[in-house]
């Protein structure tokens, strides 16, 4: 009886990973200004969840699209799980994002305006659920992207100079 209680207490005392970031869309951060961000659930198959836990996800070139009154994540690469067998889902299939109807309607209205789009920013675990952070975004101009690169290079050289001075 004592062993059972010890195991139960051991399970409860183990620290849980609550927010583990799996994938970040760095290209979207570079190409867009984020106006507003939302947290959305995503409907995945069991083998896809295992692949996400392994970190076999790429959000590069993925986007969100309104379809049949819902929001779908398109072109997101989730590599098939190694031990899935014969019925592996398509790695780039469309996956439904789970949001409230009011949020979907609001996003659809904003995305219909000129210059706005909906992009996935990152994928992470919240408890045992896979979540996707999506953003209502406005595209950057080329001169703004060049300025970001210039600022990054200046800060990098300044940090290098400070480290060499020490």
């Amino acid at each position: 009886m004592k062993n059972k209680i010890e195991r139960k207490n051991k399970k409860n005392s183990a620290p849980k990973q609550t927010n583990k970031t799996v994938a970040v869309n760095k290209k979207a951060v570079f190409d867009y200004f984020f106006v507003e961000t939302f947290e959305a659930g995503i409907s995945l198959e069991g083998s896809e969840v295992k692949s996400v836990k392994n970190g076999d996800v790429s959000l590069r070139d993925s986007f969100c699209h309104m379809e049949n009154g819902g929001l779908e994540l398109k072109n997101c690469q989730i590599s098939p799980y190694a031990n899935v067998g014969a019925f592996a889902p398509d790695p780039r299939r469309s996956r439904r994002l789970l949001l409230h109807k009011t949020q979907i309607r609001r996003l659809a209205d904003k995305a219909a305006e000129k210059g706005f789009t909906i992009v996935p920013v990152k994928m992470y675990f919240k408890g045992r659920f896979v979540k996707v952070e999506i953003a209502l975004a406005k595209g950057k101009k080329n001169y703004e992207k060049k300025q970001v690169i210039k600022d990054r290079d200046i800060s990098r050289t300044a940090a290098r100079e400070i480290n060499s001075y020490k």
Side-chain angles (χ1 to χ4, degrees), residues 2-163:
K2 188 176 180 182
N3 291 337
K4 198 175 202 181
I5 294 171
E6 285 176 1
R7 276 187 272 142
K8 192 173 186 180
N9 290 337
K10 197 175 208 180
K11 284 183 184 179
N12 292 340
S13 66
K16 289 186 177 181
Q17 281 188 332
T18 52
N19 291 342
K20 179 187 172 197
T21 302
V22 179
V24 177
N25 192 351
K26 292 180 182 177
K27 186 177 180 190
V29 174
F30 182 72
D31 288 341
Y32 298 101
F33 291 117
F34 299 143
V35 178
E36 196 172 354
T37 59
F38 296 91
E39 180 182 72
I42 184 169
S43 64
L44 298 172
E45 293 183 9
S47 63
E48 289 178 325
V49 174
K50 290 184 177 188
S51 291
V52 171
K53 281 184 181 179
N54 288 340
D56 298 334
V57 181
S58 174
L59 290 175
R60 187 177 180 89
D61 298 329
S62 60
F63 60 96
C64 298
H65 182 69
M66 298 300 293
E67 209 167 281
N68 298 331
L71 195 63
E72 292 200 356
L73 181 64
K74 302 262 186 183
N75 210 20
C76 174
Q77 170 81 28
I78 298 180
S79 300
Y81 186 61
N83 302 326
V84 72
F87 302 105
D90 181 30
R92 290 204 177 263
R93 72 179 182 91
S94 298
R95 294 165 180 92
R96 189 171 187 98
L97 294 177
L98 309 172
L99 289 165
H100 293 284
K101 286 182 183 179
T102 54
Q103 290 176 324
I104 292 172
R105 206 172 305 123
R106 187 161 166 236
L107 277 169
D109 292 342
K110 287 284 193 177
E113 293 178 20
K114 186 178 179 191
F116 283 101
T117 187
I118 305 167
V119 293
V121 179
K122 67 180 178 179
M123 187 178 287
Y124 57 94
F125 278 93
K126 187 172 185 181
R128 64 188 181 110
F129 299 107
V130 179
K131 300 288 184 175
V132 178
E133 184 177 307
I134 58 174
L136 182 66
K138 191 170 180 97
K140 286 183 184 178
K141 306 287 187 221
N142 279 336
Y143 63 87
E144 294 168 334
K145 293 179 191 177
K146 289 178 184 177
Q147 185 64 38
V148 168
I149 293 170
K150 186 178 175 183
D151 292 341
R152 192 179 334 150
D153 287 342
I154 289 171
S155 65
R156 190 177 298 143
T157 56
R160 198 176 297 134
E161 290 294 324
I162 289 171
N163 286 340

